[in-house]
Amino acid sequence: MWLLHGTTRLRAESIDRTGPDVNFVEPGGVGIAENFSFTVESMLSRVGESANYARGKAAAFPNEGSPAIIAVDVPDEVVRLAAIEHLSLFAGLIEYNEAADIGELVRLCGGVIQFDPGPALDNLLAMWGSLAKEIRGVT
Amino acid sequence: MISTSTINDRLQRAFRPTQHGVIGLTEQFLAACIGVDLEIKRVGDRCVCLWTEGGNAEQAPLPIPPAAFRTILARVAALCNERSPGSVSPYGGEARLAVGEAEVFVKFVNTPQAQELQVKNDRSGNGVPPSKLANVDATAGDVVAK
């Protein structure tokens, strides 16, 4: 399943090399990122498209190059794990079935796959070097 | 004036379990905000709801952590942009939202440094042009275009 993360060209290249960094601190920032989010290619995102996030980052950090999307093909089981971990953050307010179709889990997440520190992120980072990835430009 | 107990009731209504995921939870929250002015912000590792009653600052904790609150903020941004593309950045902005038959004014920040959401009754318009009006159908639980 291809996941998309909108950012600046500079950050996309860094993420491509080393993977998502939830301890990343933006220039001038005071806090770490804490988590890392993707939209899912070919699935409706109800929290905004990656291209818009990329444009926003590039506008906020003009020294980091043009807007870009880092796209990565992540195994479904890792996406599923991330979705379940994210839904669990809502402390029971979002009802879900862990055995549900992955499309249903993504839909409940609003179309965003968020990796917080935990098993899903650990899995993602462990396999990052072997995953198919590409950096896409954003017009 | 809407009392603290009423606002607490509304928060309980806003944060009740839903089968409609992040979308449903966001819509429940916005619907519960009709008629009240409040602010939700991250304070340390938790989120709190703030409001003023009789000149006194009141607050109540939210039952979700900041990592979940950020997803709701992202949905609020998307709602603003679904009706009026480009009206807000995913990282912050302000717009009016139609929630059922009512309107609320939202102002938010969603960055690693800060996560905040203000919801106000749209009594004054707050300078937001009608072109920034987005619509939430609180009864159908989905966004509709007028």
Side-chain angles (χ1 to χ4, degrees):
Chain A
M1 180 174 287
W2 281 87
L3 303 183
L4 313 176
H5 176 83
T7 184
T8 64
R9 170 69 61 169
L10 190 69
R11 293 187 203 182
E13 291 171 352
S14 174
I15 295 164
D16 186 19
R17 288 190 300 271
T18 60
D21 179 8
V22 295
N23 294 309
F24 179 75
V25 179
E26 293 187 319
V30 294
I32 62 173
E34 296 185 335
N35 46 51
F36 196 92
S37 296
F38 297 91
T39 58
V40 181
E41 188 162 53
S42 302
M43 285 192 185
L44 177 65
S45 168
R46 306 300 295 274
V47 295
E49 298 300 329
S50 291
N52 284 338
Y53 283 86
R55 293 187 191 100
K57 283 293 179 195
F61 300 95
N63 294 331
E64 296 189 15
S66 57
I69 289 173
I70 174 76
V72 56
D73 190 11
V74 179
D76 284 5
E77 60 266 29
V78 177
V79 176
R80 168 183 292 278
L81 186 57
I84 290 170
E85 285 181 17
H86 186 53
L87 291 170
S88 73
L89 290 177
F90 289 86
L93 296 178
I94 294 180
E95 298 175 354
Y96 63 98
N97 180 351
E98 291 190 11
D101 173 78
I102 191 167
E104 170 65 6
L105 293 171
V106 172
R107 186 189 68 77
L108 289 171
C109 290
V112 66
I113 298 300
Q114 179 172 307
F115 287 84
D116 283 270
L121 180 61
D122 292 344
N123 273 277
L124 180 68
L125 292 176
M127 62 179 59
W128 188 260
S130 63
L131 298 177
K133 299 180 284 292
E134 59 189 42
I135 295 175
R136 303 174 184 175
V138 173
T139 57
Chain B
M1 178 184 299
I2 294 178
S3 68
T4 291
S5 61
T6 301
I7 291 180
N8 282 323
D9 290 344
R10 285 172 179 250
L11 289 174
Q12 287 190 354
R13 198 184 333 151
F15 293 101
R16 68 183 187 277
T18 174
Q19 297 180 336
H20 300 290
V22 169
I23 312 304
L25 197 58
T26 305
E27 287 164 2
Q28 283 179 187
F29 171 73
L30 290 173
C33 288
I34 296 171
V36 298
D37 295 347
L38 50 79
E39 177 181 5
I40 293 176
K41 64 190 303 183
R42 176 180 182 165
V43 179
D45 290 332
R46 64 195 185 109
C47 297
V48 295
C49 181
L50 309 167
W51 68 95
T52 302
E53 181 184 348
N56 297 319
E58 306 284 349
Q59 71 174 49
L62 256 61
I64 57 173
F69 180 47
R70 290 202 71 172
T71 309
I72 291 177
L73 288 171
R75 177 58 185 158
V76 169
L79 281 172
C80 295
N81 285 329
E82 282 175 8
R83 174 65 176 127
S84 182
S87 59
V88 300
S89 157
Y91 306 105
E94 57 188 57
R96 285 191 293 165
L97 291 173
V99 183
E101 297 297 315
E103 288 183 6
V104 296
F105 169 77
V106 296
K107 184 177 181 180
F108 70 96
V109 177
N110 189 9
T111 69
Q113 286 74 44
Q115 296 106 50
E116 301 175 5
L117 172 64
Q118 294 178 22
V119 182
K120 294 183 178 180
N121 288 291
D122 198 33
R123 290 180 292 262
S124 66
N126 291 292
V128 180
S131 63
K132 289 193 172 184
L133 180 66
N135 307 300
V136 179
D137 185 339
T139 55
D142 208 346
V143 177
V144 295
K146 273 187 176 175

